[in-house]
Amino acid sequence: MITVVATREPYPETRVALTPDVCRSLTKAGHRIIVESGAGGAAGHPDAQYQEAGAEVVPVVPLSEIDVLAHVLPLTEERIRELKPGALTIGMAGPHEVDRVTRLAEAEITAMSFERLPRTSRAQSMDALSSQALAAGYRAVLEAAFRLPRFFPLAMTAAGTVPPAKVVVLGIGVAGLQAIATAKRLGATVSANDIRPSSAEEARSVGATFIDVGLGSDEGAGTGGYARTLGQDAATRQREALAPHIADADVLITTAAVPGRPAPRLVTAEMVQAMRPGSVAVDLAAPTGGNIEGSRPGEDVKVPSTRGDGDVTIVGVASAPSDLPADASRLFAKNVENVVKLIASNGAVVIDFGDDIVDGMTITHDGVNRLAQPKEA
């Protein structure tokens, strides 16, 4: 029997790593589940639901005794110190934060990082980056719709016709595709761009017009299905090609990210100022430096438009999935459950580095920082 624990996430995080449905599934599989009291409250799951699902709800979790800790945010230094040597953690681990990974290794914690999950068909059910990006893309469009002083859809009335809003989406990953689909459902016309060669067909598949900025097929493709950071010349060409499309848009949504690096700067202050007064630009990458110059996490920034009296609003989203904690937690918890099922064998945790998912996700084990170790050829 494996003991799996979920605790309250640090404020202001609203998601929870285990939901009652997942607790029920794991207890039926023979595992012991412990949930800290109040952990699921912000996501709509009171303690009673966890108890009904077979979990133990406790006021203080005995972290020094548990086998597996499921978490949403990267662990604090205090939380790392509380865990016993040999404990396993599953969550967003911040693998590119060298000091945190070093502390995990020194504490002899086996840390499995969703950020390091291989992007393969077999790993899709465990892909927390994608599940949370889905929530982010949806939320980004709602943030824009709340602030835009006009309709999204076409409206034909006796008083005249209201044209649909024009939306531009930059970045056609999971978040971008969901943003496109949501904007289309609200009735907007949508154009989109991404530097990866495969993105054009993906954009068209959900109803967007692809913006071709003339980059070569080898300039934007990275490894594992991700984009790569553009060189300075290519980035300049991209911005110049995007500028007229952004200027013509009512809404701009940016979702571009490169794992482990600051967000690429796609939109300059001048490009934002060239938008019409009342336009809205939503930056999902604000926490990692921002795709849009001037965006700040958790803030609305007003930028004077050069096209008349009025401002363009830049919305720096701090954590879009946290604004949708019920469904974001539902998806995240299923990702956790599928990882637990992968590593559980005969009532024990088995770390098999012959499995590509386990090998990719595990960043520390037995006191070793695996990210600092050279991979065997």
Side-chain angles (χ1 to χ4, degrees):
M1 177 177 67
I2 299 172
T3 300
V4 184
V5 169
T7 62
R8 287 194 299 267
E9 295 290 323
Y11 179 84
E13 180 56 60
T14 56
R15 290 170 290 174
V16 63
L18 294 177
T19 58
D21 285 346
V22 165
C23 290
R24 185 175 292 107
S25 176
L26 291 175
T27 54
K28 285 182 178 179
H31 305 305
R32 180 189 180 199
I33 309 300
I34 302 175
V35 177
E36 184 176 8
S37 179
H45 301 302
D47 292 346
Q49 289 186 4
Y50 286 100
Q51 292 169 330
E52 292 168 4
E56 302 171 35
V57 177
V58 298
V60 179
V61 173
L63 288 179
S64 61
E65 302 172 14
I66 61 99
D67 301 313
V68 178
L69 173 64
H71 59 96
V72 178
L73 298 180
L75 299 179
T76 62
E77 185 172 353
E78 179 182 5
R79 184 57 45 98
I80 293 170
R81 286 198 306 266
E82 292 176 356
L83 291 166
K84 69 178 182 181
L88 182 141
T89 65
I90 302 171
M92 300 295 188
H96 305 291
E97 300 174 44
V98 176
D99 289 345
R100 192 194 309 275
V101 177
T102 299
R103 292 190 187 99
L104 286 165
E106 291 173 346
E108 298 184 29
I109 304 302
T110 297
M112 299 188 74
S113 167
F114 278 124
E115 296 97 325
R116 300 280 298 184
L117 183 82
R119 296 182 71 86
T120 61
S121 297
R122 179 168 165 263
Q124 284 181 350
S125 66
M126 308 169 211
D127 191 350
L129 288 182
S130 290
S131 73
Q132 301 310 288
L134 183 77
Y138 173 78
R139 184 70 187 192
V141 176
L142 300 188
E143 295 287 352
F146 294 151
R147 293 167 174 82
L148 188 69
R150 53 163 305 181
F151 293 171
F152 258 56
L154 168 72
M156 301 180 69
T157 76
T161 298
V162 177
K166 297 178 181 179
V167 176
V168 169
V169 176
L170 303 184
I172 311 177
V174 173
L177 290 170
Q178 181 63 18
I180 293 169
T182 302
K184 290 291 293 184
R185 284 194 291 268
L186 289 178
T189 60
V190 186
S191 300
N193 171 260
D194 193 294
I195 60 176
R196 293 171 299 122
S198 61
S199 62
E201 187 55 39
E202 293 172 351
R204 297 184 185 109
S205 72
V206 288
T209 299
F210 184 72
I211 302 172
D212 188 349
V213 297
L215 295 180
S217 61
D218 61 340
E219 291 184 274
T223 59
Y226 292 101
R228 62 182 294 181
T229 301
L230 290 177
Q232 184 174 350
D233 177 67
T236 299
R237 286 187 282 123
Q238 181 192 31
R239 285 193 290 266
E240 290 174 348
L242 289 173
H245 297 276
I246 293 172
D248 192 43
D250 300 294
V251 170
L252 169 66
I253 295 172
T254 65
T255 72
V258 178
R261 299 185 183 182
R265 183 56 50 81
L266 304 181
V267 182
T268 65
E270 290 78 13
M271 293 165 72
V272 173
Q273 291 172 333
M275 297 177 74
R276 286 184 289 270
S279 298
V280 179
V282 180
D283 190 350
L284 287 180
T288 56
N291 297 144
I292 302 174
E293 184 177 1
S295 71
R296 294 197 291 265
E299 297 184 30
D300 283 13
V301 177
K302 299 290 187 178
V303 177
S305 171
T306 57
R307 294 171 61 180
D309 293 335
D311 298 322
V312 178
T313 301
I314 303 176
V315 183
V317 180
S319 176
S322 299
D323 293 328
L324 297 165
D327 286 332
S329 297
R330 181 201 307 269
L331 297 171
F332 190 92
K334 286 298 294 184
N335 299 141
V336 170
E337 178 187 4
N338 289 323
V339 174
V340 172
K341 289 179 176 178
L342 176 69
I343 62 176
S345 178
N346 297 321
V349 172
V350 177
I351 301 299
D352 176 13
F353 292 130
D355 185 296
D356 68 311
I357 294 175
V358 175
D359 182 52
M361 288 187 70
T362 306
I363 60 174
T364 61
H365 180 65
D366 280 348
V368 175
N369 178 353
R370 301 186 72 243
L371 300 182
Q373 303 297 309
K375 289 286 185 180
E376 294 183 6

